[in-house]
Amino acid sequence: MKQIFTLLLILAFVPAMSQETAVLSGKINDTKLNPLEGATVRVLNTSIGAATNAEGEFAIPDLIKAKYTLEISAVGYASIRKEVDLTIGSEPLKIQLVESVRQLDAVIVTAEKKEDDIQKIPSSISNISSEQVEQYRLWNAKDITAISPNVYSANPGDNRNVTSIRGVTTTSYDPAVATYIDGVNQFNLDTYIAPIFDIERIEILRGPQGTLYGRNAMGGVINIITKEPTNATHGFAELNIGEYGQQRYSLGLRTPLIKDKVFVGIAGMFDRADGFYDNTYYDRDFDKRHSFTGNYYLKYLVDPRLSVTLNVKHHSNRNDGAFALAPDPETAFSKPYEVEQNALTTLIDNTLNTSLNIHHAGSIANFTSLTTYQTNHRYYENPIDGDFSPADIITIGNNYGDQWNHVKVWTQEFKFTSSPSVYSPFQWTAGSYLFHQDNPNKQATHFGENGDLFGAQPNTSILNTTEAKSKGIAFYGQATYVINEYFDVSLGARFDYEKKEQRVLGEYLVGDDPNPVFETQPDTSATASYNAFSPKLSLTYHLSDDYHAYATASRGYRTGGFTQLSADPSQPALYEYKPEYSTSVEVGMKNNFLHNRVRLNFSLFYILVNDAQVPTLVLPQALTVTKNAGELVSKGAELEFSATPSKGWQIDYNLGYTHAEYRKLTVPDEGAEVNLEGNKQLFTPEVTSMLAVQFGHKVSEWQSLKLVIRGEAMCMGAQYFDLANTIKQGAYNLYNARAGVAGDNFELMFWMRNISDKRYISYAYDFGGTHLGDPRNFGVTLRAMF
């Protein structure tokens, strides 16, 4: 491996001594042959690009003579992708761009860790552009539900989203769907930054992505990309005011400090709300919250081929009602958006994500080094209500100082890709990934005067201390060979190795001494290692530049780990659960019609999950025990449709169907075992459907002012929230609307969510705790751009 790595590094930095160069130049006009100033031309998979002058002209000097793919874009116009071949000449290009109200954008994504046309990638991928993020009013990563087929995401109010894709969902602490923000893996549910703003695009990869993304990507990947600074100065300011005290203020600036050399980007957002729930026990707002999120870039372009980018993100959240839960579904619907909890607290949640990206575009290979550090300190200021009732039964506390409940993660990725300047039918990506995680946890469970209602001795406490560490390394590679103009084949593989260590120390207290001395019990330690091989094979048939059919087989995995069998300190035994594996087969077709005015993609999939990690709740300690107890089969179909049928009209429709059923499932129940074979998967709606229709009409030449009206209809099929399938949410519909005015540099929009004020379960625990989806709410957004 060392020899291969050294060879790739040499190839990435070897100078192009004998290769001929050329100037790539041209002119960009609109359909009326008027020159477009400020249009951008970017060479994919490089840092090379240019902008047009007042005459619409551009020039990129010293490009090695090879085949390149260009992305050409301008504000108000549909972006296009264009292939150029400098080996046969370098005549100036003549390019016309069509208004975005008449044509769909060409979509360029980095789903396969290099830039490519989404229509040519042999897998199911949804792309949500920066404009669509505003149109759908996406404020949190969970809001992507149904916008991509067969995707569902929710949380109980604490911002730790559980996401399901195609019936593969998070059922243990390690997620089954990996989330990346600017290339950085949000390592687990704690280091995850859920609020989104200043977004360039969001890519949703459906199906196992183990080959390129490794651990915990067995359901898919959510890839969030924020806006980076460039040579042009851009900025924005946004104000949102809504019902229930919703306020959201954001501000951002991206500008060059030294043109062509040093760039800076600064964006911040303050968010607050009174919450949708009331605590009737104290007659006050329950889930009142506020947070601040920041995103900062510093980019240094050493030369046109070498860049260094430092990025810092942070999120500070304060939530007075992190778990807005009714004790059971019946209570949730009979007393909607009400809780009755006697223990009050504030969730303190501080997350920091930093990354250093070094990218070099070589003449033979490109090289990227991505170093990241993530940390999260999350605790309750005072013990939180653990029984979700007015009775003094259970409270849970974890405020034990900075050294506890403070997750720290370091990762390092080295990636090599074939250079676009090398003319070859063989294109490849290879790399390695390393990580180290430190997760010290200390949590106390106190049983109050009514603790006997949960089978515990009243006025006793259990303090559990867990020291967990994990580290791992992976090597991956994927190559595509273009057989001819119609066929190409891709083959990839990844090997992951991970080692976990965990130590559990239990302490026990009897009585209500305000300064207790805990009785220490013998500690339990365990160590385990895991490895996984994740291959992928794809075959693509390009009928033409507009029609592509594909078939893909891939494998994903979720790492194993340890779980406590009991919170009883006299029995602090650890149970080791094995990794979970998914194998997927998918066929699909991607189509563009009518000169890119209509896009229609559809796919069929079949997924088999072995050694499914199944959670079981142990009371009275509210301890979740994870075991390998099942085999899951998920199969279904997906359709994505986008169109601009006539000037000003925009239609998007996404439909997904999933039948996810346990072929084998045995879970413990009060000392016995229950066979739940044939039961449906958790957090998996049978159907997801989203229809969005928008119309814009120009009313003035000033600022190209137009009136905009938009409607959205979401349909969700029936789903379950417990393995026994006793907590069920039937099919339901939600309707959203947005209307206002928009100009070149501003927009004023009024919006309404859940217009019919539908009551539905968005999240529930297997013990019955139920959280309803947001009620009808409305507000206004004012946004200015420059």
Side-chain angles (χ1 to χ4, degrees):
M1 287 297 178
K2 288 182 179 179
Q3 292 173 334
I4 294 174
F5 182 85
T6 302
L7 175 61
L8 291 173
L9 202 58
I10 292 172
L11 291 175
F13 286 91
V14 65
M17 294 182 178
S18 60
Q19 291 175 298
E20 295 184 39
T21 62
V23 176
L24 176 64
S25 62
K27 185 172 184 178
I28 302 177
N29 297 320
D30 63 14
T31 53
K32 297 179 181 178
L33 300 183
N34 298 313
L36 292 178
E37 182 179 6
T40 59
V41 179
R42 195 168 61 85
V43 182
L44 296 190
N45 296 299
T46 73
S47 301
I48 301 170
T52 57
N53 58 22
E55 286 72 42
E57 297 171 340
F58 71 91
I60 302 176
D62 301 325
L63 271 182
I64 296 171
K65 289 187 176 181
K67 287 185 177 182
Y68 296 96
T69 302
L70 307 179
E71 182 187 29
I72 303 160
S73 60
V75 176
Y77 293 84
S79 63
I80 64 171
R81 175 186 56 83
K82 186 172 181 63
E83 307 284 346
V84 295
D85 188 352
L86 297 183
T87 64
I88 60 175
S90 55
E91 292 295 319
L93 302 175
K94 296 180 180 180
I95 301 168
Q96 283 190 359
L97 295 184
V98 179
E99 289 180 282
S100 57
V101 294
R102 295 180 179 272
Q103 182 175 297
L104 297 171
D105 285 320
V107 180
I108 305 298
V109 296
T110 53
E112 295 197 324
K113 298 206 171 187
K114 61 185 180 67
E115 293 179 314
D116 206 347
D117 186 339
I118 193 173
Q119 294 296 94
K120 291 189 173 183
I121 297 175
S123 61
S124 295
I125 305 169
S126 298
N127 181 78
I128 305 173
S129 68
S130 58
E131 186 177 20
Q132 289 175 311
V133 168
E134 299 295 327
Q135 292 170 350
Y136 281 111
R137 209 220 66 167
L138 303 184
W139 287 1
N140 188 291
K142 68 181 177 64
D143 297 334
I144 65 172
T145 293
I147 295 175
S148 179
N150 288 322
V151 174
Y152 181 81
S153 187
N155 68 64
D158 68 342
N159 253 2
R160 291 197 290 188
N161 295 336
V162 169
T163 302
S164 168
I165 297 181
R166 292 180 170 178
V168 181
T169 187
T170 298
T171 53
S172 68
Y173 191 75
D174 288 296
V177 176
T179 299
Y180 281 71
I181 302 180
D182 293 323
V184 179
N185 183 6
Q186 308 301 284
F187 205 76
N188 58 31
L189 294 179
D190 282 329
T191 57
Y192 180 72
I193 297 179
I196 55 177
F197 76 111
D198 198 27
I199 300 297
E200 179 67 32
R201 67 182 182 274
I202 301 174
E203 304 168 4
I204 300 107
L205 290 65
R206 304 188 298 278
Q209 306 295 326
T211 302
L212 292 178
Y213 292 92
R215 67 195 302 277
N216 302 342
M218 58 181 292
V221 172
I222 299 170
N223 199 12
I224 301 172
I225 297 94
T226 63
K227 294 184 177 180
E228 288 193 23
T230 63
N231 257 331
T233 297
H234 295 283
F236 74 95
E238 183 174 299
L239 179 151
N240 293 272
I241 301 293
E243 199 178 3
Y244 297 97
Q246 295 180 88
Q247 299 176 42
R248 196 175 195 255
Y249 311 100
S250 54
L251 186 69
L253 175 68
R254 299 180 299 278
T255 187
L257 295 179
I258 303 175
K259 191 174 181 181
D260 296 326
K261 278 293 180 183
V262 182
F263 315 89
V264 66
I266 301 173
M269 180 187 70
F270 176 77
D271 174 41
R272 74 167 304 277
D274 292 336
F276 299 118
Y277 277 77
D278 293 321
N279 189 346
T280 58
Y281 188 83
Y282 290 104
D283 191 24
R284 53 173 282 182
D285 293 331
F286 179 69
D287 50 337
K288 194 171 184 177
R289 57 175 175 78
H290 66 274
S291 69
F292 180 75
T293 308
N295 186 22
Y296 316 101
Y297 276 101
L298 181 62
K299 184 173 184 177
Y300 175 43
L301 202 60
V302 182
D303 58 47
R305 295 184 177 275
L306 178 61
S307 63
V308 180
T309 304
L310 175 66
N311 179 232
V312 177
K313 294 179 173 66
H314 67 85
H315 176 62
S316 298
N317 180 37
R318 304 294 181 266
N319 190 336
D320 292 343
F323 293 92
L325 298 169
D328 53 68
E330 293 75 17
T331 304
F333 285 111
S334 63
K335 298 179 179 180
Y337 308 106
E338 293 182 5
V339 299
E340 197 173 6
Q341 299 184 15
N342 63 314
L344 300 179
T345 190
T346 298
L347 170 67
I348 311 294
D349 191 1
N350 297 316
T351 302
L352 174 70
N353 282 2
T354 62
S355 67
L356 179 66
N357 187 311
I358 302 173
H359 178 75
H360 181 265
S363 57
I364 299 176
N366 294 343
F367 168 73
T368 301
S369 169
L370 182 61
T371 307
T372 77
Y373 176 73
Q374 306 169 46
T375 178
N376 172 266
H377 190 206
R378 178 189 175 92
Y379 62 94
Y380 309 114
E381 197 169 45
N382 301 304
I384 192 171
D385 199 316
D387 53 80
F388 315 112
S389 78
D392 183 17
I393 304 175
I394 300 176
T395 54
I396 298 172
N398 62 357
N399 187 0
Y400 291 101
D402 187 64
Q403 73 178 98
W404 295 106
N405 308 299
H406 197 161
V407 181
K408 300 174 183 177
V409 181
W410 166 85
T411 72
Q412 173 66 55
E413 182 173 17
F414 298 108
K415 181 184 67 176
F416 301 87
T417 60
S418 53
S419 173
S421 63
V422 176
Y423 175 65
S424 171
F426 183 74
Q427 300 293 315
W428 53 269
T429 298
S432 64
Y433 178 80
L434 305 93
F435 73 88
H436 183 277
Q437 179 187 32
D438 186 12
N439 187 5
N441 183 271
K442 180 178 280 192
Q443 179 172 295
T445 302
H446 176 73
F447 303 101
E449 293 181 358
N450 304 117
D452 56 337
L453 295 177
F454 272 31
Q457 182 180 347
N459 299 320
T460 60
S461 296
I462 295 174
L463 179 66
N464 275 303
T465 302
T466 303
E467 297 174 351
K469 297 179 185 292
S470 60
K471 55 186 176 182
I473 187 169
F475 299 95
Y476 63 86
Q478 182 169 301
T480 299
Y481 182 74
V482 179
I483 300 172
N484 53 41
E485 62 178 309
Y486 297 109
F487 289 97
D488 55 56
V489 61
S490 297
L491 180 64
R494 182 185 184 108
F495 176 79
D496 284 88
Y497 171 82
E498 180 170 348
K499 182 178 180 180
K500 286 193 172 185
E501 301 174 358
Q502 188 158 317
R503 177 174 176 263
V504 177
L505 176 65
E507 297 180 292
Y508 185 65
L509 167 70
V510 177
D512 273 334
D513 186 343
N515 298 299
V517 177
F518 286 91
E519 177 185 346
T520 302
Q521 304 292 331
D523 67 320
T524 298
S525 299
T527 302
S529 60
Y530 311 99
N531 56 68
F533 178 70
S534 304
K536 182 177 182 179
L537 174 65
S538 301
L539 179 66
T540 309
Y541 175 40
H542 306 284
L543 288 81
S544 70
D545 198 45
D546 289 325
Y547 307 104
H548 313 273
Y550 67 90
T552 297
S554 59
R555 192 176 193 233
Y557 96 104
R558 176 162 48 171
T559 185
F562 300 103
T563 184
Q564 286 181 252
L565 290 176
S566 171
D568 185 344
S570 64
Q571 301 175 4
L574 287 174
Y575 171 80
E576 179 188 350
Y577 56 91
K578 299 181 294 183
E580 180 180 73
Y581 299 93
S582 65
T583 302
S584 172
V585 177
E586 174 183 338
V587 295
M589 190 161 185
K590 301 183 177 184
N591 312 274
N592 289 330
F593 301 99
L594 303 176
H595 303 289
N596 210 31
R597 291 177 60 183
V598 177
R599 183 177 299 131
L600 175 65
N601 300 339
F602 56 86
S603 60
L604 303 172
F605 64 88
Y606 178 92
I607 301 173
L608 173 64
V609 178
N610 291 309
D611 294 321
Q613 296 172 4
V614 173
T616 303
L617 184 72
V618 177
L619 295 175
Q621 301 92 342
L623 179 71
T624 298
V625 175
T626 301
K627 291 188 175 184
N628 301 98
E631 184 177 285
L632 177 76
V633 171
S634 180
K635 50 191 174 183
E638 296 167 342
L639 180 146
E640 296 178 280
F641 172 82
S642 296
T644 53
S646 61
K647 185 175 181 179
W649 285 95
Q650 175 185 324
I651 301 174
D652 294 292
Y653 180 61
N654 299 296
L655 174 66
Y657 167 76
T658 300
H659 181 81
E661 184 176 283
Y662 280 97
R663 196 156 66 181
K664 298 177 183 177
L665 181 59
T666 303
V667 299
D669 182 28
E670 298 182 354
E673 288 190 340
V674 178
N675 185 356
L676 299 179
E677 178 183 332
N679 280 19
K680 300 296 179 60
Q681 173 65 304
L682 314 178
F683 295 100
T684 303
E686 189 176 32
V687 173
T688 67
S689 171
M690 170 67 85
L691 172 65
V693 179
Q694 179 169 305
F695 176 70
H697 178 66
K698 190 174 181 178
V699 295
S700 173
E701 292 297 328
W702 178 78
Q703 284 275 318
S704 299
L705 191 68
K706 60 182 178 181
L707 293 174
V708 177
I709 185 169
R710 177 184 179 87
E712 299 168 4
M714 178 194 296
C715 175
M716 305 298 291
Q719 66 170 313
Y720 298 90
F721 296 93
D722 67 324
L723 292 171
N725 288 181
T726 59
I727 304 176
K728 178 183 178 180
Q729 171 60 56
Y732 60 93
N733 298 319
L734 298 177
Y735 304 98
N736 306 320
R738 186 173 182 261
V741 294
D744 291 334
N745 300 112
F746 81 96
E747 67 175 25
L748 176 65
M749 293 290 166
F750 297 89
W751 45 263
M752 182 174 288
R753 316 284 292 178
N754 190 3
I755 295 173
S756 62
D757 202 23
K758 177 66 179 178
R759 304 284 195 264
Y760 63 96
I761 300 173
S762 68
Y763 193 100
Y765 290 96
D766 54 1
F767 62 83
T770 303
H771 181 81
L772 296 182
D774 296 345
R776 177 175 55 226
N777 62 100
F778 57 86
V780 60
T781 297
L782 175 62
R783 180 178 176 87
M785 302 83 73
F786 61 88

